[in-house]
Amino acid sequence: MSLPARPRRQPDDLRSHRWFGKDDLRSFGHRSRAKQAGFSADDIAGKPVIAILNTWSDANPCHTHFRLRAEDVKRGVWQAGGFPMEIPLLTLGETFMKPSTMLYRNLLAMDAEEALRAYPADGVVLLGGCDKTVPALLMGATSANLPAIFVPAGPMLRGNWRGQILGSGTDVWKYWAERRAGALDECAWREMEDGIARSFGTCMTMGTASTMAATVDALGLMLPGASSIPAADSMHARMASAAGRRIVEMVWEDLRPRDIMTTAAFENAVTAAMAIGGSTNAIIHLVAMAGRAGAALDIDRFDALSRRTPFIANIRPSGQYLMEDLYYAGGLRGVLQRLRDLLHLDCVTVTGRTLGEEIDGAPVNNDEVIAPRERPLGPEGGVAVLRGNLAPDGAVIKHTAAERRLLRHAGPAVVFRNYNDLEARIDDPSLPATADSVLVLQDAGPLGAPGMPEWGMLPIPKKLLAEGVRDMVRISDARMSGTAYGACVLHVAPESFVGGPLAFVRDGDIIELDVPDRRLTLRVSDEELSRRRASWTPREVAYPRGYGHLYARHVTQANRGCDFDFLEGTAPIADPEIH
Ligand code: FES
């Protein structure tokens, strides 16, 4: 929706004016300390202060280039007449952080929001990319509601092994199954380790990082098309400095996140996620982001939008290619151009122009990678929202990444009480599992695990792998990596830890999955479920103190986005007093 014209802000209107522009004791202190850092009065006076929230860290290899990119952003900020102020934040290094970065997403969101409130920022450039860093930074910036622009880390280069293209995560799962089946030796496995992550940048499959970057692009919060630029491409540095120039103008125009993050813009983001076969994690994050923006978005809307959106981006794990190929094929602008009739084209973006204007004329250079509408890869989007007596508040499945024959399936449950139980028994030759069994994992949700780790792609039992089985129905209250695949029902809500029906499933119960009808049914009578509930004893929360204690008291369930209840909403918080 185009915004009504606003008067251009003046230097005295800037938030930072309260820190630097006054003739009082505190302003003296602020100016003299800026001079301590080597800046002169001319560097600061009357200029918008642009915070650069940087999630660079040695603990996050996907963000290795962010020191350089912060300098690129600063160059743009200086060119446009702003004053850059880089502020390092907690990083969420997906691969190293345990038990799950999801446990800490809300902590980074708080870090971002409070840094923006406490420091003299007029606008902000957000440097993130690795999975949860994207929603976390945006949740914080949305709550702070200062002019903001996102600079995504960009995908890494394609992996390579003996001339074969390797995709992050996706090919690890695939070849690990072969290794467990005895079809791949240690030497080959080590060579893959050398070749799968060839540069800085995020996972280059359509995992959570690529999905979230694309949805934020479609939402209008980054320079249009920025989400597809490979991290190692020189265009990426030029995009970062352009973002630095643009944010200064956004401050003068007073263009804020909540002006952009409307319900219609979120629908564009969901439509994009469905068309690219995006990660199921996007559901949780977009619901949480919408909650911060005051926009209406619930999980059923995902299902409705998924049903009408064709799947057109041929990227692993649901497709064949990788993010580098998507960039050469036309990137997200090319994808969106092919979805024009399904988008709200009048939504405003960070450029101040509408989404429609920004994708006008965007070329598609390769129909194999971005399929034409008349020949989509699938008639509908990648995600289905399921309901039934096993998931009264919903569950999700990425059905485009599952074997077709399993999308309507009924079979006996094989239940694992938690991940340790699964690890101990999954390869036991006496496990009572057949190819028709439904594997169930309990205690893997937001509170149960805790942190809702990406355990939802339960491994196929070794004895079934040896028989050639490569997919089975699996059900949990966990999440799944966006790079993963299989008939995995995820995000079951309420979770088993809080007494959701998943807690009462027993070995041999028949579970029915019906994706076309969006049903997930436990064929056990209500009376029997009530009996099982009556004899169930809830487990204690594991944290007697600390951040985990706060998390356990306030995290919401998956269908509400796993935000903290006290962080939701748009209630205004006053700027700090300066005395
Ligand atoms: Fe960082 Fe995948 S591990 S994006």
Side-chain angles (χ1 to χ4, degrees), residues 60-63 92-96 129-133 153-154 156 168-169 201-205 207-210 454 481 483:
N60 195 335
C62 303
H63 294 184
L92 309 177
E94 188 64 29
T95 42
F96 296 140
C130 189
D131 284 28
K132 319 302 178 292
T133 59
M156 68 176 101
S168 312
T202 49
C203 294
M204 73 319 233
T205 38
T208 304
S210 301
E454 293 181 338
S481 166
T483 64

Side-chain angles (χ1 to χ4, degrees), residues 182-484:
L184 198 73
D185 66 20
E186 187 180 345
C187 176
W189 186 241
R190 295 273 176 212
E191 282 177 21
M192 283 185 191
E193 196 174 292
D194 288 336
I196 197 162
R198 291 177 46 236
S199 77
F200 45 77
T202 49
C203 294
M204 73 319 233
T205 38
M206 192 52 78
T208 304
S210 301
T211 305
M212 287 311 299
T215 58
V216 172
D217 202 335
L219 196 52
L221 282 162
M222 63 176 70
L223 293 179
S227 62
S228 317
I229 305 172
D233 194 298
S234 64
M235 179 60 88
H236 196 269
R238 296 195 291 276
M239 176 271 293
S241 63
R245 288 190 291 278
R246 177 61 198 150
I247 188 64
V248 176
E249 273 306 297
M250 286 174 70
V251 170
W252 294 126
E253 293 167 8
D254 201 19
L255 179 56
R256 296 172 184 251
R258 286 192 209 138
D259 298 326
I260 296 169
M261 298 165 81
T262 59
T263 299
F266 274 100
E267 293 199 347
N268 288 341
V270 174
T271 300
M274 296 305 145
I276 60 180
S279 163
T280 45
N281 286 323
I283 299 180
I284 293 181
H285 299 320
L286 287 171
V287 167
M289 287 160 58
R292 300 293 190 100
L297 183 69
D298 61 28
I299 58 170
D300 293 317
R301 196 68 193 129
F302 281 82
D303 196 80
L305 293 170
S306 182
R307 283 177 187 269
R308 63 147 216 198
T309 307
F311 167 42
I312 61 169
N314 192 4
I315 311 297
R316 297 179 205 183
S318 296
Q320 205 183 332
Y321 295 93
L322 294 174
M323 287 301 292
E324 200 177 331
D325 306 299
L326 181 68
Y327 178 59
Y328 303 141
L332 192 77
R333 288 179 69 242
V335 173
L336 296 180
Q337 172 71 350
R338 290 203 156 162
L339 300 171
R340 280 188 84 89
D341 56 308
L342 302 178
L343 297 170
H344 303 282
L345 295 172
D346 54 351
C347 287
V348 76
T349 74
V350 287
T351 63
R353 290 154 38 97
T354 64
L355 182 71
E357 289 171 317
E358 291 298 350
I359 62 174
D360 262 350
V364 171
N365 309 312
N366 187 339
D367 286 350
E368 273 290 305
V369 180
I370 304 174
R373 283 291 290 278
E374 55 280 11
R375 281 187 285 113
L377 299 157
E380 59 178 67
V383 167
V385 175
L386 310 168
R387 290 195 187 264
N389 68 343
L390 192 48
D393 292 337
V396 306
I397 183 169
K398 186 173 180 174
H399 55 89
T400 49
E403 286 186 13
R404 304 282 98 191
R405 65 185 175 85
L406 294 171
L407 298 183
R408 267 202 172 112
H409 178 84
V414 176
V415 181
F416 301 96
R417 294 185 311 281
N418 51 46
Y419 204 88
N420 288 332
D421 182 32
L422 179 142
E423 213 161 43
R425 294 195 294 127
I426 191 73
D427 289 337
D428 185 336
S430 66
L431 186 78
T434 69
D436 287 335
S437 298
V438 174
L439 304 180
V440 172
L441 175 63
Q442 299 167 331
D443 246 9
L447 282 158
M452 207 179 176
E454 293 181 338
W455 295 342
M457 185 186 171
L458 278 64
I460 306 290
K462 217 173 193 168
K463 67 175 187 182
L464 298 180
L465 281 174
E467 292 170 17
V469 177
R470 290 294 182 271
D471 198 1
M472 294 174 72
V473 174
R474 292 159 265 182
I475 300 176
S476 73
D477 42 18
R479 294 175 303 114
M480 175 174 92
S481 166
T483 64

